[in-house]
Amino acid sequence: MSHFPRIWHRLSPVSISSFNQSPNQTTPLPRTWSLPRASPYIYLPSRPTSTSPLPSPSSPSTRRRSKGRTPRKQISTLDPNRLQPSDFIDLSTHSTVGIWTVPRGSYEAPKIALRYGMGDRNSKLPFPSGARGFLYYARDPGLAEGGQVRFRIVATPEGAFEEGQDLLLRNGMPWHIPPGLLPRAPNVGLARLLLRDELVTREQVAAWESYPQKLRHSPVVTRFGQPFTPSLSTSMLVIWVRTSTHDRVCHLRLWLSLARHSFTRGVGTVCLEPSSLPEHAGKRIVVIRVLELLEPVESRAGLPFTPTVPVVGELLRHPRSGRTVEFDLDRPSIITSTLRSFWDDYEKCKPGA
């Protein structure tokens, strides 16, 4: 039962101080303080009709139940050889996890938000269940940036780091924080840890600062023969080309039509290279060579044809026709104009050039 019956009062434009004066005294307010003409009524509670005492604001029936704060999580290093049990992080089923590299509330570095990725309609995807382990820096000479900040899944804080596995994205690529985001807020704390532990040089961090923020998870490729790790179940490879003349994203469309849905999974290490096939003699043709399969390629069931599966050491082929995936640099397009910069640098590095 409500303690306050609904009583509506019509108010004339009065000053705030008039509520403390006698009822017969009113002082007009300036027009800017008057109530809107369209709604001259406001709701005022009358005296309680019940003689029972009103509940106290601090009583259990009225106060809002306080929610516990998210536990503070502070990491001390990204060096795999210096990790401590206190650096253990639980990302399971969370879409965003905040960590600190300095005591919480310090102005030296803000909170770092770890996110797994974005789904349909820009929705945040939660981290997979069982995503517990350590944030660390993985050196990789095959990468143009020299390494990546990744997440190693380990069963317990005391578990062996070497026996764990890296967290993967839905496309099978390793989850990582793009290097171009490390020197920028709010990730500057991670860059400072890398410099403090001598995992990277100041020259590397300076190079990362020049990376566009939209680089995201696209691998940076600077030359022919440089390995990078894409998902082989997709119909398009997205790379960031950084050469002496180009610094842009490049979408390498591999195949069209029904072939784009040929594989359901598969991750491999590949590289771009100039074609040495006899039929390509005297032409500027770029092909893709499969260097390693990190995850087996699985074909989609119910296809009206038997797809050609990538083979280690061989050139990537069209899953339906079996033809070599190739890019003719003499045909004008956005893709070939970008890949042409690889060819120009390749010609400059030839002996006697």
Side-chain angles (χ1 to χ4, degrees), residues 73 75 84-90 132-134 154-158:
K73 189 61 196 176
I75 62 174
Q84 303 293 328
S86 58
D87 297 317
F88 190 81
I89 306 174
D90 187 356
R132 304 177 184 89
F134 299 93
V154 182
T156 63
E158 294 78 16

Side-chain angles (χ1 to χ4, degrees), residues 75-79 82 100-103 106-112 137 149 179 181-202 204-206 208-209:
I75 62 174
S76 61
T77 183
L78 295 174
D79 189 344
R82 300 181 183 180
W100 285 261
T101 58
V102 294
S106 173
Y107 291 97
E108 296 181 7
K111 180 180 72 172
I112 301 166
Y137 183 73
V149 175
L181 301 182
L182 292 177
R184 297 183 173 94
N187 302 314
V188 291
L190 296 177
R192 292 174 182 173
L193 285 182
L194 294 174
L195 289 172
R196 186 202 65 186
D197 295 340
E198 299 181 351
L199 296 173
V200 299
T201 63
R202 295 190 179 274
Q204 283 180 275
V205 176
W208 294 346
E209 291 179 351

Side-chain angles (χ1 to χ4, degrees), residues 70-75 89-91 94-101 104 110-115 127 135:
T70 302
R72 180 179 66 181
K73 189 61 196 176
Q74 179 182 346
I75 62 174
I89 306 174
D90 187 356
L91 307 178
H94 295 287
S95 59
T96 304
V97 177
I99 63 171
W100 285 261
T101 58
R104 190 174 185 177
K111 180 180 72 172
I112 301 166
L114 302 180
R115 296 182 176 89
F127 284 95
L135 204 65

Side-chain angles (χ1 to χ4, degrees), residues 39-323:
S39 57
Y41 296 94
I42 65 172
Y43 172 68
L44 294 176
S46 66
R47 292 182 179 180
T49 57
S50 174
T51 57
S52 61
L54 292 177
S56 168
S58 60
S59 63
S61 61
T62 59
R63 66 169 179 255
R64 181 179 297 179
R65 184 175 298 176
S66 61
K67 297 181 179 180
R69 291 185 176 182
T70 302
R72 180 179 66 181
K73 189 61 196 176
Q74 179 182 346
I75 62 174
S76 61
T77 183
L78 295 174
D79 189 344
N81 299 320
R82 300 181 183 180
L83 290 172
Q84 303 293 328
S86 58
D87 297 317
F88 190 81
I89 306 174
D90 187 356
L91 307 178
S92 301
T93 68
H94 295 287
S95 59
T96 304
V97 177
I99 63 171
W100 285 261
T101 58
V102 294
R104 190 174 185 177
S106 173
Y107 291 97
E108 296 181 7
K111 180 180 72 172
I112 301 166
L114 302 180
R115 296 182 176 89
Y116 183 63
M118 303 300 292
D120 298 335
R121 298 181 181 179
N122 291 329
S123 60
K124 296 180 181 178
L125 295 175
F127 284 95
S129 59
R132 304 177 184 89
F134 299 93
L135 204 65
Y136 79 104
Y137 183 73
R139 286 191 174 95
D140 190 346
L143 298 175
E145 56 269 28
Q148 295 175 340
V149 175
R150 299 179 182 178
F151 189 82
R152 176 61 61 91
I153 298 178
V154 182
T156 63
E158 294 78 16
F161 180 86
E162 296 76 11
E163 297 179 0
Q165 296 181 348
D166 286 342
L167 175 66
L168 300 178
L169 296 170
R170 294 197 302 176
N171 61 5
M173 297 176 61
W175 177 94
H176 68 280
I177 301 177
L181 301 182
L182 292 177
R184 297 183 173 94
N187 302 314
V188 291
L190 296 177
R192 292 174 182 173
L193 285 182
L194 294 174
L195 289 172
R196 186 202 65 186
D197 295 340
E198 299 181 351
L199 296 173
V200 299
T201 63
R202 295 190 179 274
E203 289 74 15
Q204 283 180 275
V205 176
W208 294 346
E209 291 179 351
S210 64
Y211 285 14
Q213 295 192 38
K214 63 181 180 180
L215 182 60
R216 297 186 180 275
H217 294 283
S218 302
V220 181
V221 183
T222 60
R223 57 179 173 80
F224 281 143
Q226 178 184 325
F228 60 98
T229 305
S231 171
L232 298 178
S233 61
T234 182
S235 62
M236 180 180 298
L237 303 184
V238 182
I239 62 174
W240 192 271
V241 176
R242 292 179 63 92
T243 62
S244 58
T245 57
H246 285 71
D247 189 2
R248 66 174 64 168
V249 68
C250 183
H251 298 79
L252 302 177
R253 187 173 295 279
L254 304 181
W255 37 74
L256 302 172
S257 66
L258 185 61
R260 64 184 301 182
H261 305 295
S262 299
F263 306 123
T264 58
R265 58 178 298 183
V267 180
T269 302
V270 301
C271 71
L272 297 169
E273 64 179 40
S275 177
S276 58
L277 296 176
E279 58 268 27
H280 295 158
K283 300 179 181 179
R284 296 193 299 176
I285 305 294
V286 175
V287 292
I288 301 176
R289 186 171 298 277
V290 181
L291 302 178
E292 184 181 4
L293 288 179
L294 304 178
E295 180 183 81
V297 177
E298 293 185 1
S299 303
R300 187 177 301 275
L303 292 175
F305 59 92
T306 302
T308 302
V309 179
V311 179
V312 175
E314 297 186 3
L315 300 180
L316 188 65
R317 297 183 178 276
H318 193 282
R320 186 170 189 176
S321 65
R323 297 192 305 267

